[in-house]
Amino acid sequence: MDIWLEYAWALLILIGLEGLLSADNALVLAVIAKHLPENQKSKAINYGIIMAFAFRFAALFAISFIANVWQVQAIGAAYLLYLGLKHVIQARFGKKDAHKEEKQSGSARGFWGTVGKIALADLAFAIDSILAAVALALGLPDSPLGDFGGMDGGKFAVVVLGGIAGLVLIKYAAGWFIKLLAKRPALETTAYAIVAWVGVKLAVITLAHHDIGVLDHDFPHSTVWTIVFYGMLVAIALLGWFSPANKPAAKNAEQH
């Protein structure tokens, strides 16, 4: 009985953790699909949810590969850093009509181009999500369920259930974020800043890989790094929420 209570507690913690990671993923889905016509936004997000589901389950079965080959983690980190920093730098230092140009290029890219961009982001977030889930599950005692997918069956079940909960949260959060972005446009740049910060997190995991050894192997899971990561995440979100750039849009939203 004690072992199943421990598993239940770990599952609750993992659902909370997946909720935080899913918020990032949902925000990215919202900003990438933002330029599409209304009738295509929900369709693009639904495709994004399906791909996120597929990537996370594929990552589960390939976890030994993801956990042991640092190049996979490095590619995910590089893509998220590129995606986030490109938008933040353009928004901060680009021309005044950069947003219009981006919207036009987004329209030209079309529906399937947007879905492809969502797929790349989903893949990077799947790596982050599964690594975090497995790191938590590996701390649990072995269950009497045998092995499955290269892991203890009980631990595998905890990771799968946590991942499903995360995907459900992405589904509902993405629609809410699209409405929120219309009222608070500064959150779009904030979303990309969060994407870049998650890229930093994956980069830290890569640098702590035993084949790289730049950082201590246990550092990505340490209390210090956890506090720093989530503290910065909250700080970025608060800056975006209270940005003066949101005020005109909020007034227009109230008028409509």
Side-chain angles (χ1 to χ4, degrees):
M1 183 62 69
D2 288 343
I3 188 174
W4 296 121
L5 286 175
E6 190 171 350
Y7 269 75
W9 177 243
L11 179 60
L12 287 175
I13 293 173
L14 183 55
I15 289 172
L17 178 61
E18 287 289 344
L20 292 172
L21 296 173
S22 299
D24 297 341
N25 206 161
L27 200 49
V28 172
L29 289 180
V31 295
I32 292 176
K34 184 172 176 280
H35 70 276
L36 291 173
E38 288 299 324
N39 64 328
Q40 291 185 353
K41 281 181 184 176
S42 60
K43 189 184 292 186
I45 287 173
N46 285 335
Y47 278 124
I49 300 297
I50 293 169
M51 286 185 292
F53 188 87
F55 286 143
R56 291 189 188 199
F57 274 86
L60 269 175
F61 287 100
I63 189 60
S64 60
F65 179 77
I66 292 174
N68 293 319
V69 180
W70 63 266
Q71 289 91 341
V72 177
Q73 300 165 10
I75 290 170
Y79 179 71
L80 291 183
L81 283 166
Y82 166 77
L83 186 66
L85 292 177
K86 178 186 175 185
H87 184 93
V88 171
I89 291 170
Q90 187 179 54
R92 180 67 181 85
F93 301 106
K95 296 180 290 185
K96 290 184 179 179
D97 59 347
H99 184 69
K100 289 183 180 178
E101 290 178 4
E102 182 184 338
K103 197 170 184 179
Q104 289 171 358
S105 67
S107 299
R109 184 170 61 242
F111 176 76
W112 289 110
T114 301
V115 170
K117 195 173 181 182
I118 288 172
L120 285 173
D122 277 339
L123 181 59
F125 275 101
I127 294 170
D128 181 36
S129 173
I130 295 300
L131 285 173
V134 171
L136 179 65
L138 288 179
L140 293 169
D142 290 339
S143 74
L145 299 180
D147 291 340
F148 187 80
M151 289 180 66
D152 175 84
K155 296 174 186 178
F156 185 85
V158 166
V159 174
V160 169
L161 291 173
I164 291 172
L167 291 168
V168 171
L169 290 167
I170 291 175
K171 169 67 176 174
Y172 290 101
W176 181 76
F177 277 131
I178 280 183
K179 294 177 183 177
L180 189 61
L181 286 168
K183 295 181 180 179
R184 295 179 175 270
L187 284 178
E188 183 170 354
T189 301
T190 303
Y192 280 107
I194 289 173
V195 170
W197 184 234
V198 175
V200 171
K201 180 185 178 184
L202 271 180
V204 167
I205 292 172
T206 303
L207 293 173
H209 193 279
H210 57 78
D211 286 342
I212 303 296
V214 173
L215 297 174
D216 183 79
H217 183 66
D218 295 324
F219 178 75
H221 311 296
S222 67
T223 303
V224 172
W225 171 242
T226 301
I227 292 171
V228 169
F229 176 77
Y230 285 108
M232 182 63 74
L233 200 67
V234 170
I236 294 171
L238 290 175
L239 283 172
W241 184 266
F242 292 108
S243 172
N246 288 318
K247 291 181 181 178
K251 289 180 180 179
N252 290 335
E254 287 176 5
Q255 289 173 359
H256 289 86

